Structure formats: C-alpha cells, structure tokens
Amino acid sequence: FLKDMLADPIATVKRVASGEENAFKKAIMIMLVFIAASFAARILSYIKYGAYGSLWDNILKIVSSALYPICYVLVPAVVILVMNKDKKKPLTTVISTLVICAVPVVANYVINLVEYLGGVVYYITSPIGTALSVAATVLSYFGEKALFEIEDDKEFIKKFVIIEVVAAFVLYIL
C-alpha cells in the first residue's frame, strides 16, 4: 500500500474513493499514528516550552490535540456526505479516502516530532512540511473529486472550495 502511495498516490486515492480498494483498516492505523503524533507533539511542546495557563486549560489543550485528527477527517466527511446526496458513498469509504489523502499531513506531524527534539532541524522540516501540506491538498482534491464521481474540474472546484472552507471554519472554531 505504501509503495503504491509513493509510486502513484492519485491513482491509489481514486481506487479507495471508488471502493475498489477497502482501506478502512489501513485508515484506522494511519489515524492512530496521526492521533499519537498530535498528542506527542503537544506533550513535547509543554516539555520544551513549558505549560502556560491554568491546569484545566492545559489538559483541555492536550485532549483537543488528540481529538483534532479525528475532527480533521470527520468534518469534511460530513460535509461530503451532505453535499453528495446523489451518489451516496458509504461513510467508511469517505473516511478512508480522506485519511489516505491526509497521509502527507500525518507524515508532517511525525516529522515535526523531530523538530521538538532539536530546534535546528526546523530549517529542514519547515520546507518539507510545506510541501507535504500542498501534497495533502492536491490528494484531497482528487480524492474528493473521485468521491463525487465528477470528471469536470470546473464543476467540482466550487464544491471543493466549499468543503475546504467549511472544514477550515469548523476546525478553527473547535
């Protein structure tokens, strides 16, 4: 699977979105890594920079760092399910597709853990993180487009922007 993701990530995402490949178990494993990396990053941040604010605020931030990856996937999944009433896809397929599209983001979170251990690494990890974020956005575009089963870019770009803006807004609030 990882070899396919590296060789042709767009085709892999399209296979998952179309239901040709059942990647739900893989998606769960990727989500566990995502949650662990997000949680570990928050803990390492507190160790390195200190915890400011009340104990309750810090506990809330730790819990939210563990919940963020789940919301990162579920929020757009719900938006897609609402917008894609004509071509119903199973929730597991939508979630699997979005998680597979988020593999570069997960890799970025794991790489950022190294950054907390050594600050000089930032000069290397920052451009890598930017490239991985762009890759995740591109994969999301093609994955969501495959979920909607739309071939025309002009028709889908509006839906993609709506999904991303709604997801960003909701994630910002959370």
Side-chain angles (χ1 to χ4, degrees), residues 86-102:
D86 300 339
K87 298 176 181 91
K88 281 275 188 196
K89 296 276 185 170
L91 180 62
T92 55
T93 301
V94 175
I95 289 173
S96 298
T97 302
L98 294 174
V99 171
I100 301 304
C101 292

Side-chain angles (χ1 to χ4, degrees), residues 6-160:
L6 291 172
D8 193 357
I10 293 173
T12 304
V13 167
K14 286 180 178 179
R15 274 196 319 274
V16 173
S18 68
E20 289 176 34
E21 183 175 340
N22 185 356
F24 192 66
K25 289 180 184 176
K26 295 169 191 160
I28 290 172
M29 294 304 295
I30 293 167
M31 281 303 295
L32 289 175
V33 170
F34 196 0
I35 292 166
S38 178
F39 180 77
R42 176 62 70 179
I43 297 296
L44 287 174
S45 173
Y46 283 155
I47 291 170
K48 185 172 183 176
Y49 302 113
Y52 301 103
S54 69
L55 178 63
W56 177 250
D57 285 341
N58 293 327
I59 290 171
L60 216 58
K61 287 179 183 177
I62 290 171
V63 170
S64 71
S65 71
L67 293 176
Y68 175 79
I70 296 167
C71 294
Y72 182 86
V73 172
L74 282 183
V75 170
V78 169
V79 174
I80 289 169
L81 287 174
V82 169
M83 290 178 66
N84 199 14
K85 293 178 184 173
D86 300 339
K87 298 176 181 91
K88 281 275 188 196
K89 296 276 185 170
L91 180 62
T92 55
T93 301
V94 175
I95 289 173
S96 298
T97 302
L98 294 174
V99 171
I100 301 304
C101 292
V103 165
V105 173
V106 176
N108 188 31
Y109 268 73
V110 172
I111 290 170
N112 282 341
L113 291 177
V114 175
E115 188 178 309
Y116 285 111
L117 301 175
V120 179
V121 184
Y122 173 78
Y123 296 109
I124 298 169
T125 60
S126 178
I128 292 171
T130 302
L132 289 172
S133 294
V134 170
T137 302
V138 170
L139 286 177
S140 293
Y141 177 81
F142 286 105
E144 292 170 19
K145 185 177 168 187
L147 286 170
F148 279 89
E149 298 176 8
I150 297 175
E151 294 298 321
D152 184 28
D153 287 327
K154 288 181 182 180
E155 182 183 344
F156 180 69
I157 192 74
K158 293 173 191 169
K159 290 183 181 187
F160 179 73

